Amino acid sequence: MEIPDVPKPLLEALRQAAKGRRCALVGGVVRDLLLHRHHEDPWRGLPDLDLVVEGRAADFVARLADALATLFAVPVPLRVQEHGSFGTLELELDLPKEQGGTWLLDIASARHERYPQPAENPVVTLGALDDDLARRDFTVNAMALTLDGAELIDPHGGQRDLSARQLRFLHPHSVSDDPTRLLRAARYSARLGFDLAPDAQVQTDATLSAWPWQWRPGDDPGQAPPALGTRLRMELELLLSREPWRQALAALQRWGALVLLDPQLQADRQWRRRLHWAQRLQVPLLPALLAGARDPLALAERLQLPHRQHKLLAQMLELEHRLQSQPAEQPPSAWCQCLEAPGLSPEAVALLVARGTANGKPLLRWWLRWRHVRSPLTAAELMREEGLRPGPGLGERLRQLRFTALDR
């Protein structure tokens, strides 16, 4: 099998760096090669290769630097970042322009993993290439293409599932061990047009119905295991920022998997409208999604949302509470006094508009028009014409003139 688009000197340097140890392209690059799709980093649009090497990845990278310098006859600029306790290395290579320019490489040591408890972080040890493939999420991502001989390794039937456009888990406890696999499935479903294989849907239904995890909704949100908390949030962020999120969220709902977040979100039929408005009003999509949960703040705490997004949800709920005592019919100035009160932000108003409220029209008018209206006279003009001095009195006079202009 040929590896199109990859410069031959780069392939040769990778082979030399392996030095008899098994080294292979893995994951998405192999899947996309078999689908005849161009594979690249979705953030930077650069060609991207994922490799697994048996042994220490750092030793491989050291040999790779020497091989690149020899084969290209000049030093190849190579920037390295290390991630994780097992030393996964991210490389950025600046090859000569005629060889494709900048390339991204992720070099990982082959690993074996086991889950001591469902949804907890796995215990990981160094392993062989076959071990590394067995720990992956779906059969279509559990294939490898060896650099020495370009042998396709497909121990789990990934080619079969590629042809059927199906996402199949590798073992019967995949969802129980790591429920975030369902969010990754939704990402691939949206990106590739695949669906869960029938046995994968059966496993999903059975696992979610049994809820095999010690933590349950209603327990202390801070005690949720990683795959029901922080890792779930990270997958959601990727889904909403990198993928066709409408299709991905629809797939999660179709599979019954939004219950991982909240049963009310699984039953929610308004999320499309909510996220559509959030996008129009430039509100972050993740808080807009969580705004439809039974208890948005508890869910935000479980997922460990960034402080700014957690605060945004809290302000939206506070605003909703304040509006319960506001009369529906009142002049624009009264709405401005309410919506511009301390402790609220314009984003919170926009988020409540996106979520939906009985007061949606005046809130939207405030967002689009009223908040931008200013006093017809400037501070300098008031000081000159009315003899006011800088201070609270001047600010109050500007506010009065602004409210008068709004209510005309």
Side-chain angles (χ1 to χ4, degrees):
M1 177 178 291
E2 295 182 355
I3 307 176
D5 301 330
V6 182
K8 289 184 178 179
L10 175 56
L11 280 175
E12 180 57 31
L14 292 169
R15 291 188 184 105
Q16 290 184 18
K19 281 196 172 177
R21 291 185 177 273
R22 293 184 85 194
C23 180
L25 295 170
V26 294
V29 64
V30 180
R31 179 198 68 224
D32 289 349
L33 177 63
L34 292 170
L35 289 173
H36 305 287
R37 292 167 57 101
H38 179 68
H39 185 80
E40 62 181 26
D41 177 80
W43 286 99
R44 290 180 280 181
L46 296 173
D48 179 29
L49 300 177
D50 290 335
L51 295 105
V52 165
V53 58
E54 294 183 346
R56 294 181 65 248
D59 296 339
F60 176 88
V61 171
R63 294 192 296 268
L64 177 62
D66 294 337
L68 287 168
T70 300
L71 287 166
F72 284 96
V74 293
V76 174
L78 186 152
R79 292 172 291 281
V80 181
Q81 286 187 328
E82 185 171 342
H83 303 287
S85 58
F86 278 82
T88 297
L89 299 171
E90 180 183 297
L91 279 63
E92 187 172 326
L93 309 178
D94 289 332
L95 301 181
K97 190 173 182 180
E98 61 274 13
Q99 296 290 352
T102 303
W103 281 74
L104 303 177
L105 278 70
D106 283 301
I107 315 291
S109 300
R111 286 168 282 181
H112 173 273
E113 66 182 28
R114 63 179 180 84
Y115 288 83
Q117 292 290 335
E120 295 285 353
N121 285 326
V123 175
V124 182
T125 56
L126 289 175
L129 177 59
D130 291 343
D131 297 325
D132 203 88
L133 296 178
R135 72 184 185 87
R136 294 176 180 267
D137 42 20
F138 308 104
T139 60
V140 297
N141 291 335
M143 295 180 286
L145 186 63
T146 63
L147 294 179
D148 185 11
E151 174 194 359
L152 181 66
I153 301 173
D154 181 15
H156 304 285
Q159 291 183 90
R160 172 200 63 209
D161 290 327
L162 276 181
S163 297
R165 307 186 73 78
Q166 291 183 336
L167 296 167
R168 189 185 309 275
F169 300 118
L170 264 64
H171 60 81
H173 303 292
S174 288
V175 179
S176 174
D177 284 346
D178 185 0
T180 64
R181 285 176 170 138
L182 284 168
L183 273 76
R184 288 195 290 280
R187 290 171 52 204
Y188 296 134
S189 174
R191 189 192 314 166
L192 303 172
F194 286 18
D195 205 349
L196 285 182
D199 61 346
Q201 183 66 66
V202 168
Q203 181 183 156
T204 297
D205 294 342
T207 304
L208 294 177
S209 176
W211 196 270
W213 307 290
Q214 293 183 358
W215 184 93
R216 305 185 71 84
D219 294 346
D220 181 354
Q223 298 302 312
L228 292 173
T230 52
R231 282 171 40 211
L232 198 61
R233 185 206 74 237
M234 293 167 66
E235 286 293 336
L236 278 170
E237 289 173 338
L238 290 173
L239 183 154
L240 293 169
S241 62
R242 293 192 186 188
E243 311 292 356
W245 53 262
R246 291 173 181 83
Q247 294 92 318
L249 290 174
L252 284 172
Q253 192 167 54
R254 185 170 69 251
W255 302 335
L258 284 178
V259 74
L260 287 170
L261 298 174
D262 181 73
Q264 190 161 305
L265 282 178
Q266 175 58 40
D268 181 18
R269 292 294 179 263
Q270 299 300 316
W271 61 261
R272 289 179 180 83
R273 175 202 172 278
R274 197 163 63 248
L275 270 65
H276 168 75
W277 274 101
Q279 199 167 51
R280 286 190 63 183
L281 300 176
Q282 298 183 327
V283 174
L285 295 182
L286 185 50
L289 176 65
L290 303 194
R294 182 184 62 83
D295 187 343
L297 292 184
L299 182 53
E301 183 180 350
R302 169 162 57 110
L303 299 179
Q304 296 187 29
L305 253 63
H307 174 72
R308 178 171 169 270
Q309 295 185 11
H310 194 289
K311 183 178 178 181
L312 179 59
L313 281 167
Q315 289 181 344
M316 180 205 72
L317 294 172
E318 171 61 23
L319 175 58
E320 186 176 49
H321 176 71
R322 292 185 192 184
L323 290 179
Q324 291 175 0
S325 60
Q326 289 286 118
E329 298 295 332
Q330 57 181 346
S333 60
W335 283 108
C336 288
Q337 290 186 68
C338 172
L339 301 179
E340 296 166 14
L344 296 177
S345 66
E347 266 193 327
V349 178
L351 182 56
L352 187 55
V353 171
R355 187 194 194 200
T357 172
N359 298 303
K361 287 184 178 179
L363 265 61
L364 190 56
R365 290 190 186 108
W366 177 86
W367 173 266
L368 294 173
R369 188 170 75 244
W370 294 340
R371 69 189 178 114
H372 301 295
V373 173
R374 296 291 177 259
S375 166
L377 296 178
T378 66
E381 289 170 336
L382 286 174
M383 292 170 65
R384 184 174 62 251
E385 296 178 12
E386 299 186 10
L388 296 174
R389 294 185 177 183
L394 177 59
E396 180 59 31
R397 180 63 176 143
L398 286 168
R399 191 158 40 250
Q400 290 174 359
L401 290 171
R402 176 187 174 224
F403 287 168
T404 298
L406 277 165
D407 291 341
R408 281 176 182 164

